[in-house]
Amino acid sequence: MLDTEGLGQAVLEGDRARVEALLTTALAAGVGPVEILNQGLLPAMDVVGKRFGTKQMYISEVLLSARAMHVGLELLKPALAREGTQPGPKPVVILGTVKGDLHDIGKNLVTMMLEAGGLEVVDLGTNVSTDKFAQAIRDHRPAVVGLSALLTTTMRQMRDTLQELRRRGLLDGVKTMIGGAPVTKEFAATIGADGYASDAPGAVGEVKRLLGIPPP
Ligand code: B1M
């Protein structure tokens, strides 16, 4: 049984211990990790976003909520991964939040859902420079490179990063995908990204579509 109200309140208050306790109880009671995400953590973060947007919450409070959210995501990670267990070698996806952008909650969620979907993810973190993407592509030979951005200002960085990687010949045979709240399908097409997803579950479907992996 999932205490959605209590969980929402705990995320809003940035109460990490309570988030941990509620999720541990829910998981032990057999509540699925996707249900916990969709009915508990994500709606709570949505409220945080709205309150931040209307200046009802300070950045410091948002950060506390973000940390509580991280605790929740870390707890769900093993259960999400178990749901996505698949035999055989996994296609590699490189993911990162572009240079100048420190938002990582959404990207972390995409990482977890992709792993749950049977893909191997190399997560480069936030504020990722073009050079860091380039090195990771050389090191890991990914099937897909995914860029995340949450700021309208850093959307431009997505275009610059893809342009430069392309100029260096590093995207030959590699699919690209972008996402993040301000990003649209149209923008993706404008900067020549192969794929776009508006949310984490959508990202799994989009990577699979790009790689020609049929739905289960
Ligand atoms: Co920031 N922030 N923030 N912030 N912050 C936003 C994005 C903002 C919309 C808030 C607002 O004004 N209403 C606004 C951007 C405005 C704009 O550009 N148009 C904003 C701003 C302005 C800023 C600062 C500039 C504030 C300041 O300092 N004055 C500053 C910038 C710092 C920087 O990056 N250089 C800043 C800082 C921060 C915190 C550090 C306090 C914190 C980030 C903590 C962290 O991530 N570790 C923070 C937060 C938490 C937010 C909000 C409240 C929540 C973002 C979030 O985590 N959402 C946000 C308001 C909002 O979104 N309503 C806001 C939950 C998450 C699950 O959703 O990230 O959209 P999302 O990810 C989704 C999809 O977008 C998609 O799937 C995810 C899961 O479903 N997706 C992909 C994401 N990446 C993808 C990649 C893919 C595919 C799908 O393929 C590769």
Side-chain angles (χ1 to χ4, degrees), residues 3 6 9 20 28 34 46-47 49 61 76 83 92 96-97 113 116 125 130 142 155 161-163 184 197 200:
D3 177 3
Q9 201 55 36
E20 188 171 349
V34 174
D46 198 38
V47 175
E61 293 172 306
L76 293 188
E83 288 203 349
V92 175
T97 304
M113 294 299 280
T130 305
M155 282 168 70
T161 300
L162 289 185
Q163 228 166 40
T184 61

Side-chain angles (χ1 to χ4, degrees), residues 18 47 50 58 66-67 95 107 117-118 123 131 136 195 207 210 213:
R18 185 141 175 76
V47 175
K50 287 196 177 103
Y58 294 112
R67 288 194 190 130
L95 271 187
K107 170 194 61 66
D123 186 344
D131 283 342
V207 165
L210 291 172
I213 300 171

Side-chain angles (χ1 to χ4, degrees), residues 53-148:
T54 54
K55 298 188 174 20
Q56 288 172 279
M57 272 178 97
Y58 294 112
I59 286 190
S60 52
E61 293 172 306
V62 173
L63 261 180
L64 286 176
S65 293
R67 288 194 190 130
M69 179 86 177
H70 273 297
V71 167
L73 293 181
E74 282 302 313
L75 266 172
L76 293 188
K77 212 171 181 175
L80 281 170
R82 269 196 303 277
E83 288 203 349
T85 306
Q86 274 181 16
K90 300 172 178 180
V92 175
V93 180
I94 286 180
L95 271 187
T97 304
V98 294
K99 192 166 160 44
D101 201 319
L102 302 175
H103 295 85
D104 67 355
I105 296 172
K107 170 194 61 66
N108 294 347
L109 208 45
V110 171
T111 295
M112 275 186 272
M113 294 299 280
L114 289 177
E115 286 173 346
L119 298 143
E120 185 178 333
V121 180
V122 177
D123 186 344
L124 303 180
T126 61
N127 196 24
V128 181
S129 66
T130 305
D131 283 342
K132 193 167 177 186
F133 274 112
Q135 192 55 50
I137 293 170
R138 289 192 202 97
D139 290 346
H140 299 283
R141 305 191 171 278
V144 179
V145 174
L147 274 53
S148 176

